[in-house]
Amino acid sequence: MAKTITFALMDPPYETAATTTAFRIIDSALRKGHKVNVFAYEGAVNLTMAGQSPHPNPVKGTSAEEEEHPNTKDWVSSLLKNHGDRLEWINCGLCVDERGAADTVEGPKRGSPKEFAEWVKASDNTVVIPAK
Amino acid sequence: MAKYLVVETRDPFDSNDVDDVYDLATGLADDSNDVTVFLVQNGVLPVRKKSAAAKRVAQLAKKVTVLTDDFSLRERGIEVDEVVDGVRASDIDTLVDLIAEDGRKVIWH
């Protein structure tokens, strides 16, 4: 039976393995047919910044194309593209302003902890993945 | 009886808090709660039989269900037959099933 699961993410991109784990969990939950809400708080608002770009690896002598290293915005875009009818993503507005992170890929909305609280009340479960 | 899912992402040699989390899980089980500990990221490092923390994980597994993320094991070169008795290899889909269970509270560390 499909459930509604809300996640709170706090880590900025490329900081800890928790971001990768969160993406894996969200992807699995969506593939299973659950509805997923993501509230990106603090540094996690940088996950969706449109200006991210892949880089080459000078140590290995490989180009960005050869590396095929996805940026976090690509993960979010892919999740929204494939499951946008069951995935909602809100970035904390104040956190966005502090970080100058308003230019996002298509899909994420601006919100506040009020929306997070409403999601928590309406969800079957909530998973808070805190910063270390 | 309540149901708990404790997600441990850290290695006990990285964070002394891990021992407290194991104690928390054991205590919840001692109070007749249904407890599953899911080890992911560096949280899988102590499950190796050769780890100095393996005995601690084995003790935990006698009290609660202990699952490990197969992806995290592979990333760290840990084979399933290296894992201490009582700990079961699992995957992210199983973690999602646990999160989606009615009434199961999730504690992430």
Side-chain angles (χ1 to χ4, degrees):
Chain A
M1 182 185 164
K3 302 286 181 67
T4 299
I5 305 170
T6 292
F7 295 88
L9 309 183
M10 299 183 190
D11 276 317
Y14 323 121
E15 186 78 14
T16 76
T19 303
T20 305
T21 304
F23 282 141
R24 291 174 60 217
I25 293 171
I26 292 165
D27 175 64
S28 172
L30 290 166
R31 286 174 190 269
K32 285 174 177 286
H34 300 304
K35 183 179 184 310
V36 173
N37 302 318
V38 177
F39 185 76
Y41 197 57
E42 300 176 349
V45 299
N46 292 115
L47 293 169
T48 56
M49 286 182 71
Q52 295 176 4
S53 62
H55 57 75
N57 186 329
V59 176
K60 291 162 60 183
T62 49
S63 67
E65 291 74 23
E66 289 168 327
E67 280 294 305
E68 285 190 292
H69 180 74
N71 295 109
T72 56
K73 66 164 186 175
D74 302 316
W75 288 72
V76 177
S77 289
S78 180
L79 289 167
L80 285 165
K81 178 184 172 189
N82 293 324
H83 310 283
D85 55 332
R86 286 180 290 108
L87 171 62
E88 284 195 77
W89 187 293
I90 288 181
N91 285 327
C92 161
L94 297 182
C95 310
V96 165
D97 293 344
E98 284 178 330
R99 292 161 178 80
D103 185 15
T104 72
V105 292
E106 191 176 341
K109 299 171 185 166
R110 180 187 174 93
S112 74
K114 175 177 176 288
E115 280 78 28
F116 176 60
E118 289 170 353
W119 273 349
V120 169
K121 285 176 68 176
S123 296
D124 295 290
N125 210 345
T126 298
V127 180
V128 176
I129 302 180
K132 189 173 180 181
Chain B
M1 181 179 74
K3 294 188 289 187
Y4 292 90
L5 168 63
V6 180
V7 182
E8 180 53 77
T9 66
R10 303 184 195 183
D11 171 20
F13 297 103
D14 168 53
S15 166
N16 287 330
D17 294 349
V18 174
D19 211 42
D20 295 334
V21 172
Y22 291 176
D23 284 342
L24 171 66
T26 303
L28 289 168
D30 286 341
D31 286 344
S32 302
N33 295 296
D34 175 349
V35 182
T36 294
V37 175
F38 193 96
L39 305 175
V40 64
Q41 300 167 203
N42 283 344
V44 305
L45 289 175
V47 305
R48 290 173 302 117
K49 289 173 184 167
K50 289 182 178 177
S51 166
K55 280 186 180 175
R56 186 73 173 94
V57 177
Q59 287 173 344
L60 177 69
K62 287 179 180 173
K63 290 277 190 174
V64 307
T65 300
V66 181
L67 305 177
T68 56
D69 174 42
D70 59 350
F71 179 90
S72 301
L73 289 174
R74 285 200 307 276
E75 276 189 313
R76 290 157 181 81
I78 301 173
E79 301 288 341
V80 172
D81 60 7
E82 290 181 75
V83 173
V84 70
D85 291 343
V87 175
R88 302 207 312 262
S90 186
D91 55 34
I92 215 74
D93 288 338
T94 302
L95 178 61
V96 169
D97 289 343
L98 287 164
I99 291 169
E101 268 187 21
D102 288 338
R104 189 172 289 276
K105 298 177 178 70
V106 183
I107 301 168
W108 188 287
H109 180 250

